[in-house]
Amino acid sequence: DIQMTQSPSSLSASVGDRVTITCRASQVIRNDLAWYQQKPGKAPKRLIYTASSLQSGVPSRFSGSGSGTEFTLTISSLQPEDFATYYCLQHNNYPWTFGQGTTVDVK
Amino acid sequence: QVQLQESGPGLVKPSQTLSLTCSVSGGSINSGGYYWTWIRQFPGKGLEWIGYIYHTGNTYYNPSLKSRVIMSLDASKNHFSLKVASVTAADTAVYFCARLSPELPPDYWGQGILVTVSS
């Protein structure tokens, strides 16, 4: 299985901050990487797919980049509704695998 | 807008079979070339992809669970199902159903259902 390593596992930030989360794959996955946001008691919500494609309806402050084994999710200006846990998912090789998550909380 | 809803027992005894159903509304599970998938989230928040089923009945199961999992679908009821046999406490999780487009990660998800394995 492909291992997905996210960093950091948690971070504290303030409204307006620029936030960057990284996901590293244990082998090359082209650009077959998605980012999800999850809030307590809710299902994950797809933000980004194929590494940099923004899901319809998702604010443009979210962006994704990378290919191969290194990927980044950036929130350009953190908003109150963005405090949540973020997961990456590789959809290149079966079985698809998730990162362990990054929790963004209030500083 | 597609909506998915999981249903089934919230408590299962060890060694028994966990059975869940995902009802789909706003679209037919037979149309559009979509795949239908199950994902679970453990109490520690880790996510595990269980597998998928296509409307033809083709399936893929995660090897970590392959010997214990069966997925099926019923087009007449527009729902698909998951069975996990011989459960243990390690199968305690929130189970989500979701939709896949070919080669793309899940877009629409159900709200999830907590299944606890305990005697």
Side-chain angles (χ1 to χ4, degrees):
Chain A
D1 297 5
I2 295 175
Q3 306 304 311
M4 303 301 295
T5 304
Q6 268 184 255
S7 60
S9 56
S10 65
L11 67 90
S12 297
S14 301
V15 172
D17 284 353
R18 181 181 181 87
V19 169
T20 300
I21 299 168
T22 298
C23 198
R24 176 180 292 116
S26 61
Q27 63 190 69
V28 170
I29 59 169
R30 303 185 308 180
N31 66 341
D32 297 327
L33 191 285
W35 290 99
Y36 287 85
Q37 176 194 68
Q38 188 179 32
K39 296 183 178 179
K42 301 292 188 183
K45 172 187 174 184
R46 194 171 78 179
L47 302 175
I48 302 283
Y49 59 97
T50 56
S52 60
S53 299
L54 188 67
Q55 177 70 29
S56 175
V58 173
S60 59
R61 63 180 179 273
F62 291 93
S63 63
S65 63
S67 68
T69 61
E70 295 277 341
F71 301 88
T72 298
L73 172 70
T74 299
I75 309 172
S76 60
S77 178
L78 195 69
Q79 298 302 300
E81 60 269 30
D82 301 337
F83 292 103
T85 301
Y86 295 84
Y87 295 91
C88 61
L89 165 67
Q90 68 82 13
H91 54 99
N92 174 263
N93 193 277
Y94 292 140
W96 293 357
T97 46
F98 290 87
Q100 78 276 22
T102 296
T103 298
V104 178
D105 61 22
V106 178
K107 191 172 186 178
Chain B
Q1 169 113 351
V2 174
Q3 293 185 313
L4 298 92
Q5 177 72 58
E6 305 86 352
S7 60
L11 180 64
V12 181
K13 288 182 166 44
S15 80
Q16 294 191 340
T17 296
L18 177 162
S19 296
L20 297 174
T21 295
C22 181
S23 299
V24 179
S25 58
S28 169
I29 62 173
N30 265 347
S31 66
Y34 297 112
Y35 295 71
W36 306 93
T37 190
W38 291 94
I39 293 157
R40 64 183 181 177
Q41 186 166 36
F42 300 109
K45 302 299 183 184
L47 289 155
E48 180 178 53
W49 186 58
I50 299 171
Y52 68 69
I53 185 165
Y54 193 49
H55 70 84
T56 57
N58 287 352
T59 56
Y60 173 86
Y61 302 143
N62 190 324
S64 69
L65 287 156
K66 188 174 182 178
S67 63
R68 299 193 292 128
V69 167
I70 296 176
M71 294 183 190
S72 60
L73 61 80
D74 187 333
S76 67
K77 295 180 180 177
N78 217 40
H79 73 208
F80 59 104
S81 300
L82 170 72
K83 292 186 187 297
V84 181
S86 306
V87 297
T88 70
D91 293 306
T92 293
V94 175
Y95 286 75
F96 295 99
C97 59
R99 188 186 80 167
L100 299 176
S101 299
E103 305 300 324
L104 289 179
D107 49 5
Y108 291 100
W109 295 59
Q111 65 184 24
I113 183 169
L114 173 62
V115 179
T116 301
V117 178
S118 175
S119 55

